[in-house]
Amino acid sequence: MVNDVLGLIDFKADIQDPNGKLVSWNEDDDSPCNWIGVKCNPRYNRVSELVLDGFALSGWIGKALLQLQFLRKLSLAKKSYWELKPWSCRLRLFSTLAAINFSSNQFSGSLPSGNWSLKGLRLLDLSNNHLDGEIPKGIEGLNNLRAINLQKNKFTGAVPDGIGSCLLLRSIAFSENSFSGSLPNPLQNLALCNDNSFSGWVPTSIGNLQSLRVLNISMNAFTGSFPESMINFQNLLTVDLSQNSLTGSLPSWILKLGVQEILLSGNRLSGSMDSIFSSSPVNSHPKLLVLDLSHNALLGKVPSAIGDFSSLRVLNLYRNSLKGGIPASIGDLKALDILDLSENRLNGSIPLEIEGAISLKELRPENNSLVGTIPTSIQKCSSLTSLANEKSLQRWLDHELEVMVNVHEVRYEYEKQSQVYVLSSKVF
């Protein structure tokens, strides 16, 4: 216990504490277990956790912490300003640590190369810093790693293939870096690798991730079609492959996964939507909450089967090449908040059944070939706050606007110029 007190006092001597967060740390105490940010193992009465998140501390992380021989968790995250160098070279000496969290600081430089001796490490979070360079291959030796978060840094190069050998890994977050090349293969687990420059086809080995809950590889440069192995997902809740260059048709099995969110916007997908709705199992209907297929090249009609998805909250089909009318089954979507059908080739009129979408907050049917007037029964959508439409409905604006007492914004567009009329709540 004396070593723990001395180690923490030496650590305190090397840092600045402008807000006096560590005032309770007193070298005359026999035990540090009641000090703020310190937690002890009750069995050995030794320091097991040091959590100083958000304390606005700064300074060096020196050798003093090596005296804490039972330390398992070290968290120095948020609003602190630590010097990682040259301490990064000593990172391998903390062989007892199970969790390291240095997120949201000002760390810079590269990670240490060579063999990392952190055999017991389960969590490594270095996100939201200024770290650069490549991920060292030594990280492959962290065989007990469950989660690694390196997002929002400046890492470059390829992700080491050997990271797939960490068989216990359940979460990888590498988004908002500058990684390039292809995804590691074999890949044992993947969560967030979005906003990089990964390219090539999505690897078929991704289907091995049967316990995966979130797949987010958006904002990369993936090409080709969806790998059939994705049908093996058993626990997936979110699929986000938006902002890539994927081609081909929507996979007929995607709704069979029973996911809550399908985000495929900003690709080059073509074909009709019928392929995914015609084969969707009944048990998937109440699960889907968000369907975003915007900014693709989808053809055909909006399937009437869309009305079977009673829990759907967001339906975004903006900027495709959809034709035909708006299906009356839209009115069956009682939970729908946002409906964006803009910039397609839809014709006919807005169906009277739209009144059934009682939770609707935003309706965007503009830049189509719709005719007629907006049904006055839409006033039953009492939560509606934003409505956009074309000049063909201008007559409704002139004569029937009084029924929309909750609408705060109404837009309509001319073919050659756009005018926006904002009607504040003060008007009504």
Side-chain angles (χ1 to χ4, degrees), residues 35 46 65 80 107 171 189 231 240 242 280 344 354 381 412 416-417:
W35 293 359
R46 299 291 300 272
L65 293 182
S80 295
F107 288 137
S171 176
N189 202 291
I231 199 172
D240 189 352
S242 58
S280 63
N344 281 282
I354 191 72
C381 302
Y412 67 94
K416 294 184 179 180
Q417 64 178 352

Side-chain angles (χ1 to χ4, degrees), residues 14 59 123 297:
D14 288 334
L123 167 68

